[in-house]
Amino acid sequence: MIHFKALEAHLKNNKSLPVNIKLIIEGEEEIGSVNLESFILAHKELLKADAVVISDTAMYDKDNPAIGYALRGLCYMQVEITGPNRDLHSGHFGGAVENPINALANIITLLKDEKEMKDLLQRLKKEFPDLSEEIKFDEEHQSRRIELTRAGLTLTLDENFFASPDFKELKKIFAELKGLGHPPYKLTHNSEKREFISSRELFDFILSIAKKGITIQRYKGLGEMNPEQLWETTMNPANRILKQVSIEDAVKTDEVFDMLMGSEVPPRKRFIQSHAKFANIDI
């Protein structure tokens, strides 16, 4: 009621309010506010405002009214652990098949227990000796986060990472690769048997085989080409095509250039999609 009493006191002393104030009285909080969202969406224009004040604070003292000016925000993540779709016999599967409850407990422990983090980092550094790490305490979430640095790139392992699409994609990749088991790995190629002490060595060897006979070069513009490439693809008079472009509508031209060269991606994407069928592609 403190907001009502504040408005009442202001009107009593000043006869009018300096700004337009809209009030929403909602009494469904204890059942999840099931109708609040739909109400707001249906009355967006009516409820439009420059600022919002939420009246959700405790009463300090019955004889001393107070106005709460700030609340601690809420930030949460949802982790779903999937396991077997039925009970498994502990004598046959116990230990071999991870119990989802145990897996979830291990994840939570890893975020809280610094020793568990350091053990994990030691295992990672055996696989990637050039990896450097830093463990920081996250006071807001009362947990720790790890910052991993390798080859000039930094990855932060925290609540945001575990809730990100990147982590979900990593889980899919891991599900496909975990069948490799643990090193050493043995591979036979062209009747030659080889052994690798790490997954990195195995990956690099397979990639080197795939790249044989292939030259890969990436560049974003003419200035990144070698002189020979620039001559063959662009400057050679025998191959190049010069077209004269006349500007009939300078304003429209400027708008197109702003769209193609600007920072807004969606308009550029729509333009390319709608005009791609008219383009001459030189491959």
Side-chain angles (χ1 to χ4, degrees), residues 31-75:
I31 60 171
S33 300
V34 292
N35 295 301
L36 181 60
E37 182 178 5
S38 60
F39 177 83
I40 292 174
L41 292 175
H43 300 85
K44 288 190 292 186
E45 287 300 318
L46 179 63
L47 299 175
K48 187 183 296 183
D50 297 318
V52 176
V53 177
I54 300 175
S55 181
D56 186 24
T57 52
M59 187 171 180
Y60 177 74
D61 186 293
K62 67 177 183 178
D63 297 323
N64 295 287
I67 297 178
Y69 62 88
L71 291 172
R72 182 188 177 107
L74 173 65
C75 179

Side-chain angles (χ1 to χ4, degrees), residues 77-78 155-156 158-174:
M77 62 179 291
Q78 179 172 323
L155 172 65
T156 301
D158 57 6
E159 287 86 348
N160 294 328
F161 171 74
F162 291 119
S164 68
D166 290 338
F167 182 67
K168 294 178 182 178
E169 185 64 25
L170 284 173
K171 290 201 303 183
K172 293 180 181 178
I173 296 174
F174 175 74

Side-chain angles (χ1 to χ4, degrees), residues 183-244:
Y185 303 108
K186 297 181 180 180
L187 181 146
T188 302
H189 176 64
N190 292 336
S191 301
E192 179 185 356
K193 295 183 178 180
R194 301 177 65 99
E195 185 171 299
F196 305 91
I197 61 173
S198 70
S199 58
R200 169 56 59 182
E201 287 188 3
L202 176 63
F203 174 80
D204 290 341
F205 178 74
I206 295 175
L207 190 61
S208 67
I209 295 175
K211 286 184 175 180
K212 281 187 177 179
I214 299 176
T215 300
I216 300 175
Q217 181 177 350
R218 299 179 178 90
Y219 47 81
K220 295 183 292 183
L222 301 179
E224 297 182 8
M225 289 184 176
N226 294 327
E228 297 81 7
Q229 294 171 318
L230 185 60
W231 173 260
E232 292 174 359
T233 60
T234 307
M235 302 304 296
N236 188 350
N239 298 328
R240 71 187 182 194
I241 299 175
L242 298 179
K243 292 186 177 182
Q244 184 176 358

Side-chain angles (χ1 to χ4, degrees), residues 9-34:
H10 193 289
L11 288 171
K12 184 177 181 179
N13 290 281
N14 300 284
K15 305 304 180 185
S16 64
L17 299 174
V19 295
N20 185 30
I21 295 180
K22 305 172 184 180
L23 300 175
I24 298 180
I25 302 174
E26 190 264 339
E28 294 183 333
E29 179 185 0
E30 300 304 325
I31 60 171
S33 300
V34 292

Side-chain angles (χ1 to χ4, degrees), residues 30-178:
E30 300 304 325
I31 60 171
S33 300
V34 292
N35 295 301
L36 181 60
E37 182 178 5
S38 60
F39 177 83
I40 292 174
L41 292 175
H43 300 85
K44 288 190 292 186
E45 287 300 318
L46 179 63
L47 299 175
K48 187 183 296 183
D50 297 318
V52 176
V53 177
I54 300 175
S55 181
D56 186 24
T57 52
M59 187 171 180
Y60 177 74
D61 186 293
K62 67 177 183 178
D63 297 323
N64 295 287
I67 297 178
Y69 62 88
L71 291 172
R72 182 188 177 107
L74 173 65
C75 179
Y76 74 96
M77 62 179 291
Q78 179 172 323
V79 178
E80 294 183 3
I81 306 295
T82 303
N85 60 1
R86 60 188 180 277
D87 290 337
L88 300 178
H89 193 287
S90 60
H92 294 163
F93 299 98
V97 179
E98 183 86 63
N99 187 308
I101 295 178
N102 292 337
L104 182 60
N106 288 334
I107 292 174
I108 296 173
T109 300
L110 182 61
L111 293 175
K112 297 289 185 179
D113 193 324
E114 187 172 1
K115 181 180 181 302
E116 291 284 344
M117 281 188 169
K118 290 182 177 179
D119 291 343
L120 171 63
L121 291 173
Q122 289 302 317
R123 296 198 297 270
L124 285 174
K125 295 184 78 168
K126 286 182 180 179
E127 184 80 11
F128 306 102
D130 58 337
L131 184 72
S132 62
E133 83 289 342
E134 184 178 2
I135 299 178
K136 296 183 178 180
F137 183 71
D138 187 343
E139 184 175 356
E140 181 179 356
H141 299 96
Q142 291 297 299
S143 62
R144 291 174 175 83
R145 68 176 185 268
I146 307 175
E147 292 186 359
L148 302 176
T149 303
R150 182 170 181 260
L153 301 175
T154 299
L155 172 65
T156 301
L157 303 181
D158 57 6
E159 287 86 348
N160 294 328
F161 171 74
F162 291 119
S164 68
D166 290 338
F167 182 67
K168 294 178 182 178
E169 185 64 25
L170 284 173
K171 290 201 303 183
K172 293 180 181 178
I173 296 174
F174 175 74
E176 297 174 356
L177 296 180
K178 67 180 180 181

Side-chain angles (χ1 to χ4, degrees), residues 243 270-282:
K243 292 186 177 182
R270 288 194 296 269
F271 180 89
I272 294 173
Q273 289 174 336
S274 60
H275 292 81
K277 59 184 178 181
F278 303 111
N280 294 320
I281 302 176
D282 181 16

